[in-house]
Amino acid sequence: MSLSFKGHTVVVTGAGGGLGKAYSLAFASRGANVVVNDFNGEAAQKVVDEIVKAGGKAVVNTSSVTDGDAVIKTAVDNFGTVTILINNAGILRDRGFKNMSDKEWDQITEVHLHGAFACTKAAWPIFRKQKFGRVINTASAAGIYGECAHFFGNFGQANYSAAKMGLIGFTKTLAREGAKYNIKSSVIAPMAASAMTETIMPAEMLKQMSPEYVAPFVLSLCHPDAPDASGKLFELGAGWIAEVRWERSDGAIFKTDASFTPSAVKQRWSEVIDFGKPSYPNAVTDVDSVGKLEAAKKLPSNPQATPEVRFDGQTVIITGAGAGLGRAYALMYAKLGANVVINDVSEKGAAGVVDEITKAGGKAAAAVCSAEDGEKIVAVALEKFGGVHILIANAGILRDKSFQSMSKAEWDAVIAVHLRGTYKCAKAVWPIFQKQKYGRIVNTCSQVGIYGNFGQVNYSTAKAAIIGLTKTLAIEGKKYGIIANVIAPSAGTAMTSTVWPQEMVDAFKPDFVAPVVGYLTSKDNTETSGCIFEISGGWAAQTRWQRTAGHGFPHDSVYTPEDVVAKWKDITTFDSRSTHPVGSNETMEHIWTSSSSVAFTMVNFKDPNAFADPEDSKIVADAKKHVEPPVEYNYTERDIILYNLGVGATEKELQWTFEGHEDFAALPTFGVIPQFPCSTGLPMDWLPNYNPAKLLHGEQYLKIHAPIPESGSLVNEARILEALDKGKAAAITTIVETRDKSSGKLIFENQSTVFIRGAGGFGGRRQGKDRGAASSANELPKRNPDAVVEERTAESQAALYRLSGDYNPLHIQPEFAAIGGFDKPILHGLCSMGISAKHVLKTYGPYKDIKVRFAGVVYPGETIITEMWKEGTKVIFRVKVKERNLVALAAAAVTLADDTTKAKL
Ligand SMILES: CCCCCCC[C@@H](O)CC(=O)SCCNC(=O)CCNC(=O)[C@H](O)C(C)(C)COP(=O)(O)OP(=O)(O)OC[C@H]1O[C@@H](n2cnc3c(N)ncnc32)[C@H](O)[C@@H]1OP(=O)(O)O
């Protein structure tokens, strides 16, 4: 199949450079007429010239995207119609949330949201009439995850994250509204090199991150013969493409009576966030709310956590609290000891709730104004109660209309109250929360924002945008003790009564949502932040992203739209390889891997040929095909302490040996431990003359991808990466990826080489391939070491260390050691590594990867000398055994953590 766009007219906004230019050239090269929109007329003209020179047809349009009519008119005037609209124009106004100005917020909303609305709105009637239309909206990893990859060195994108996530909601509703008219809308989160990234990316990667690697996919989404991708979200870059969808936990159902309290929610919180039985909803109707409410009614009273969740002395601001959900929250907080600020535009409504609370002996004050007047509301809290600890942004309105007939005023009103109102309130409490290093925020989304809904394009966009905003707040607030979550509640309120039947309005009481909000904003919630919860009638569940493993096209040439169609299944199949990314770093890693010949992370462990090498002998090729089933590793603080002690941490170093210390943490080399149950399971008996007593640890590489949790469940996957025939010996390298069990987030990558004496002679490769940072070849600088640390190991060091998971008898049993050729048991290689890495950590601070070669044996009781040389971001080191003046660790180095990683490690 060849995908031609002859007869199509494509409008590309922001097409003077970057992605927009790449789209324009690609469409034109396949026969489409192109309107190259850019406010920079010169840049747009250059693109048009290039197209025309190549024999294509294109015209310039320099209107602002907010003047969608003018943009689309250029298409109609020049080519008679428009069939495809690529909403690509965008700007950045990055700023930490505290310092973000309203102007910076509004400018982003204006271009991304109002711009996409205006252009799509102008094209829509034409699409409907001709019964064909394609819309591509441009989101970003920043929108999906609330942050841009730290690779780009970027923090401070609350405005951009909100707008980009808003466009995902926008697309989902457009897809529903257009279905009947063959109008399909998809949304992409592309990663491509730009002026901004040029300074920090290696040249090879820059080439592969070019917009040319994004454009073919966009073409494939727009072609009439391509697979249907309407309403779908894709992440892509450097030739790697994956689909992203929502995944929801089964959640917990609570008895809907007086025992449904924040304490009851606390008691069963682990059930709410348990993804053991996930579902993949696609629409607001994909939940049996009535069934759940019925089930809730039949339950016995809810068990309560002790001590009770309370809010004594805390002040809560609730917007839109004059009725409905806001009122229910207010009554609950007041009952549990909080001072409550009741914000509402209705004076009567606010006064009524204040009265109700005061009469019941509680404390409340009214703030009668729009939610957009965040400062005024906060001023009331400060004046009446002297502070603020919790913000519930709840105010909202509906202006439902089909997209075709929605007016700009209806669009603007909903975006203003929901999105800008939420922003303004969060902005007003932020400096207070930052200063007091405490704050809780619950923002209000809706299932309509998550899944899209017919007739609510304004509402779904605003609500989705609130998800993006909240995720950024969670990220930026973390170091200040600020926790922010977003809820999608369904309850019978004045607002829903306009769209729900009365019996549902009566049944789904706002009181059945409030306790979850209470728990989320309590002191008791110290972990859950940046998450989305769907709540209705006693049921609460968490909703998160799930992403396919996707497909990475090879980089020898740019892939084509036809290639995309051929690989559609790989791109869009959700299976056991799918992940639950929570940050854009994971996207970056994926892209980085797919575009780098030396990185091995994120390999497809299920692909038996993942490490196939034409130079391998048959026996090696077969061994590499072995796929070990994933193995779990569960641990607690106790395991961390045991490990830390095993590598010489002392009772004086409480951050490593006392779980109550405020900086309690695992030493970074703990990262080699969780893989043990998995990597040691890989069969080695295919090697000739294999004798486990002759096995020595040869090399180790550890990369730490994410902060090490203090406890948890991790899942390991292991494969043989390389098998070298060293003649007399075999050098076998395994690769293990260790992920967080619930989020799927990559935490560690290990590459371990074992040297098995007497097991060579099986043929094939003798020298290893370049494994990038994992390769061992560090020349020692020709100067004296910059730092030296000495530490005597204990006679019992190996006996203690082995309890962390390496039970090899070589380290404890004299007879076994004798078979291995040693007079007495030897120290674990990884124990020596852990001790010396601790020296590096104490001298130079945290690092994000480490590699060593075990060059000589260390015996327990001997003294380790770590010599260090700082070379830029690397610390090269060598370990000697003092008593025998022998090198034990050679070719050793760490890469120091940059500032961003440091904050996270
Ligand atoms: C979690 C994942 C699983 C991990 C399981 C680990 C289980 C643990 O319980 C086991 C341990 O902890 S053992 C203790 C730690 N290790 C040691 O003490 C080994 C110390 N090293 C040695 O004795 C020698 O270097 C020795 C014996 C390794 C090599 O010495 P020689 O035989 O003299 O080799 P040499 O002549 O110098 O070189 C031959 C070829 O081999 C390559 N090579 C050398 N040292 C290597 C090493 N450490 N790792 C990998 N390759 C190594 C050389 O480059 C050379 O290659 P070529 O011939 O192609 O040039």
Side-chain angles (χ1 to χ4, degrees), residues 675 697-698 726 752 755 766-767 806 808 811 829 853-855:
Q675 53 149 349
H697 205 159
K726 292 288 185 193
S752 317
F755 198 87
R766 184 184 177 101
Q767 296 297 341
D806 181 353
N808 188 345
H811 308 295
R853 172 175 272 219
F854 302 107

Side-chain angles (χ1 to χ4, degrees), residues 109 270 341 357 377 621 743 774:
T109 310
S270 57
V341 177
I357 290 175
I377 309 173
S743 69

Side-chain angles (χ1 to χ4, degrees), residues 798 809-814 817 822-827 858-860:
L810 180 65
H811 308 295
I812 187 116
Q813 195 184 28
F822 300 107
D823 297 342
K824 54 181 178 178
I826 64 172
L827 193 59
V858 180
Y859 292 99

Side-chain angles (χ1 to χ4, degrees), residues 278-338:
S279 60
Y280 301 94
N282 196 28
V284 289
T285 46
D286 285 350
V287 57
D288 177 16
S289 308
V290 176
K292 289 185 191 297
L293 181 61
E294 287 311 312
K297 285 183 189 157
K298 291 190 195 113
L299 290 171
S301 280
N302 299 296
Q304 309 286 310
T306 49
E308 190 191 9
V309 175
R310 288 197 59 88
F311 300 92
D312 301 294
Q314 297 200 353
T315 298
V316 191
I317 288 176
I318 305 166
T319 68
L325 280 165
R327 174 180 164 270
Y329 303 154
L331 299 181
M332 173 194 70
Y333 281 112
K335 198 169 149 199
L336 293 171

Side-chain angles (χ1 to χ4, degrees), residues 119-328:
C119 291
T120 315
K121 184 90 177 89
W124 201 257
I126 304 171
F127 287 169
R128 270 176 49 134
K129 207 159 156 216
Q130 72 200 12
K131 290 222 165 16
F132 183 91
R134 294 288 181 270
V135 180
I136 302 296
N137 291 315
T138 311
S140 148
I144 302 175
Y145 306 112
E147 55 159 5
C148 209
H150 77 80
F151 197 88
F152 293 155
N154 246 310
F155 244 44
Q157 295 196 302
N159 48 3
Y160 187 69
S161 304
K164 288 309 194 186
M165 184 62 217
L167 287 170
I168 297 174
F170 180 62
T171 310
K172 287 187 182 284
T173 293
L174 287 183
R176 292 180 195 288
E177 299 218 7
K180 212 163 95 184
Y181 302 97
N182 190 21
I183 307 171
K184 296 185 175 170
S185 303
S186 307
V187 53
I188 57 164
M191 286 260 190
S194 65
M196 181 174 82
T197 54
E198 254 164 39
T199 48
I200 47 173
M201 275 190 193
E204 180 213 10
M205 187 167 182
L206 260 181
K207 209 171 116 230
Q208 289 160 357
M209 289 291 288
S210 79
E212 282 68 36
Y213 284 86
V214 173
F217 181 65
V218 168
L219 264 67
S220 74
L221 286 178
C222 294
H223 200 274
D225 299 338
D228 185 359
S230 202
K232 289 177 188 257
L233 165 64
F234 300 90
E235 275 194 80
L236 72 157
W240 168 79
I241 309 162
E243 188 185 337
V244 184
R245 68 173 177 182
W246 290 117
E247 178 180 87
R248 186 166 67 203
S249 72
D250 198 32
I253 299 178
F254 298 87
K255 169 86 171 174
T256 45
D257 66 2
S259 71
F260 189 16
T261 61
S263 303
V265 176
K266 180 185 171 192
Q267 181 72 8
R268 292 178 56 206
W269 188 247
S270 57
E271 287 175 52
V272 176
I273 58 174
D274 180 0
F275 279 87
K277 275 196 284 164
S279 60
Y280 301 94
N282 196 28
V284 289
T285 46
D286 285 350
V287 57
D288 177 16
S289 308
V290 176
K292 289 185 191 297
L293 181 61
E294 287 311 312
K297 285 183 189 157
K298 291 190 195 113
L299 290 171
S301 280
N302 299 296
Q304 309 286 310
T306 49
E308 190 191 9
V309 175
R310 288 197 59 88
F311 300 92
D312 301 294
Q314 297 200 353
T315 298
V316 191
I317 288 176
I318 305 166
T319 68
L325 280 165
R327 174 180 164 270

Side-chain angles (χ1 to χ4, degrees), residues 11 84 165 178 259 270 443 478 552 561 589 592 598 628 674 729 801 816:
V11 171
I84 296 166
M165 184 62 217
S259 71
S270 57
N443 290 329
K478 195 166 178 207
E589 257 159 21
W592 173 253
V598 291
E628 192 70 3
Y801 180 83
F816 193 91

Side-chain angles (χ1 to χ4, degrees), residues 604-612 621-627 719:
N604 175 2
F605 275 86
K606 304 284 185 296
D607 174 2
N609 295 314
F611 302 119
D622 288 347
K624 280 188 175 180
K625 282 189 186 141
H626 177 84
V627 179
R719 291 283 303 269

